Amino acid sequence: MNEKIAHNVMPMMPQNYDDVWQDLNDHLNAIRQDAGNLDAVFRALDLHQHKTGFIKDRFEEIARFKFYHPQDPSRFLRVQFNPKRALRLKGIGIKIPPPNISITNNGCYLCRDNIAWQQQGAELGYDMEINGSRYVAWMNPFPLLPTHVVVSSTEHRTQEWIHHRDGGLEVSEILNTLVTLSAQAPGYIGFYNGVGAGASIPEHMHIHFCQRPDDDPLFPLELVQVNFSRDTSGAGLVENYPLAVAVWRGTTSDVLKTATEWLSEWAQRNQPRLANMTANFIATTDPDTDQSSLYFAPRERNRIWRGGISDLIGGLEVMGEFVYTIKEEKVHLEGGIVDYFTLEKILTDIHTPLYG
Ligand SMILES: [Zn+2]
């Protein structure tokens, strides 16, 4: 951390915001050049955001519970108990801007102009260009996993995909951003939650990147068998999992090419129900082999989890990890009230076949 940044770690007035932003970005760009990937950049941004006080959470407090299928111990689902996560619904930051500053896009929490005054200068991001488009990496103040980054488009534009709304995101753009970034952040989990499939800010395009948990790095979905012979067009299909999920594995460019073509055909074959569909995409890159993996779980907007609203089920849950936030739920986790089938039911409630 250079000296100038260190002097500015306390919340500042937004008029200094651009200067401090530039200093931080220069510093992070130097880190990126040294490291050759985004991991060191994200960690440095995380550290900086703890120092400014924007992130107060101590990630170590999250406990994790694993539930095995009683007849088949190779199958499991798990829960993280993350009480601070409940606070996110209240939001943080101020709601009324200082005089002479106006609210843009209804106070959208992913627009930089709003963030500057809402978080009183404490929240800063990292500018990135991906395939010719501009994005900002922000730290999530209520992390689901270590070093939880939200990468949002610099411009205020919808999270919705093209299949539901004209002007929505092309699938190729979602995949390019997600898989390209994943290749630059090996060892991270990246996910895009569609609108109605876990996206908490549907008005502004964003994807999540998180480190894996140290104690249990692989997620249930990553450990299930994938059958690459049932589908001849390059996708694998997961077996013995409560959700229908298509998988691609290979080099970054191969994965992007085959998945984009496959999803275009998928959309054609799903025309009658397409407007009611949404999706979760998950991307990872193996740090040892540089191989990319991409997962696609189709979702139906009106297919809800009967214990709550479907919006709460996003990429993490699709990977087989559920987030519990209230104390009573911890008693259930420890007292044998929750088991494999409790969790499986959440996924079967939102299950939809690849072809309807
Ligand atoms: Zn916005």
Side-chain angles (χ1 to χ4, degrees), residues 16-272:
N16 301 329
Y17 194 65
D18 289 345
D19 293 339
V20 180
W21 182 286
Q22 190 57 53
D23 286 343
L24 175 65
N25 273 261
D26 290 346
H27 173 64
L28 295 176
N29 277 324
I31 290 177
R32 188 175 185 178
Q33 234 168 5
D34 276 354
N37 63 46
L38 286 168
D39 176 34
V41 173
F42 291 163
R43 285 174 197 254
L45 180 61
D46 192 32
L47 186 66
H48 178 271
Q49 293 291 269
H50 276 88
K51 284 189 175 166
T52 64
F54 173 64
I55 304 178
K56 297 178 181 71
D57 209 354
R58 279 183 55 76
F59 187 78
E60 296 87 313
E61 289 168 15
I62 293 173
R64 202 166 258 103
F65 298 82
K66 235 164 152 173
F67 298 92
Y68 291 90
H69 190 289
Q71 275 87 48
D72 180 359
S74 72
R75 293 161 71 178
F76 71 99
L77 294 167
R78 68 187 187 199
V79 173
Q80 61 163 265
F81 181 65
N82 188 343
K84 297 263 173 64
R85 192 75 189 148
L87 301 173
R88 86 190 194 282
L89 299 172
K90 293 185 188 152
I92 54 169
I94 59 173
K95 303 280 184 274
I96 298 167
N100 308 324
I101 293 180
S102 54
I103 299 176
T104 56
N105 298 317
N106 300 315
C108 170
Y109 298 119
L110 287 175
C111 278
R112 184 184 182 274
D113 288 349
N114 291 330
I115 286 171
W117 61 261
Q118 284 166 341
Q119 307 304 334
Q120 298 171 282
E123 184 178 9
L124 290 142
Y126 175 62
D127 289 315
M128 295 188 291
E129 190 184 308
I130 306 157
N131 300 319
S133 298
R134 306 288 313 171
Y135 295 87
V136 182
W138 307 98
M139 297 312 301
N140 190 324
F142 303 109
L144 288 166
L145 289 162
T147 321
H148 185 161
V149 182
V150 177
V151 175
S152 66
S153 52
T154 300
E155 185 195 349
H156 179 80
R157 51 188 301 223
T158 183
Q159 174 81 343
E160 189 62 82
W161 71 351
I162 188 88
H163 298 319
H164 186 74
R165 171 174 157 182
D166 289 343
L169 300 169
E170 294 284 352
V171 173
S172 59
E173 183 182 357
I174 298 169
L175 298 188
N176 267 293
T177 307
L178 182 63
V179 177
T180 304
L181 262 177
S182 169
Q184 294 173 31
Y188 280 63
I189 306 277
F191 52 95
Y192 162 89
N193 291 334
V195 176
S200 51
I201 303 181
E203 301 84 19
H204 196 131
M205 189 229 175
H206 63 284
I207 54 180
H208 298 262
F209 276 86
C210 309
Q211 279 186 296
R212 294 171 181 279
D214 281 344
D215 55 335
D216 210 355
L218 292 174
F219 287 78
L221 177 62
E222 296 178 286
L223 293 166
V224 296
Q225 196 163 355
V226 180
N227 186 331
F228 281 93
S229 61
R230 266 164 62 202
D231 183 284
T232 51
S233 54
L237 305 174
V238 300
E239 300 194 325
N240 288 326
Y241 200 67
L243 292 176
V245 180
V247 186
W248 296 267
R249 293 212 168 108
T251 63
T252 305
S253 56
D254 277 356
V255 163
L256 275 175
K257 185 171 181 296
T258 48
T260 306
E261 285 168 4
W262 189 96
L263 283 153
S264 168
E265 199 189 312
W266 174 85
Q268 290 292 325
R269 287 177 60 186
N270 280 282
Q271 269 305 330

Side-chain angles (χ1 to χ4, degrees), residues 270-300:
N270 280 282
Q271 269 305 330
R273 62 170 191 160
L274 198 55
N276 186 38
M277 299 304 288
T278 180
N280 297 105
F281 290 107
I282 300 150
T284 64
T285 301
D286 187 318
D288 299 324
T289 63
D290 284 340
Q291 292 283 291
S292 296
S293 294
L294 175 68
Y295 301 82
F296 162 62
R299 299 278 301 273
E300 281 178 48

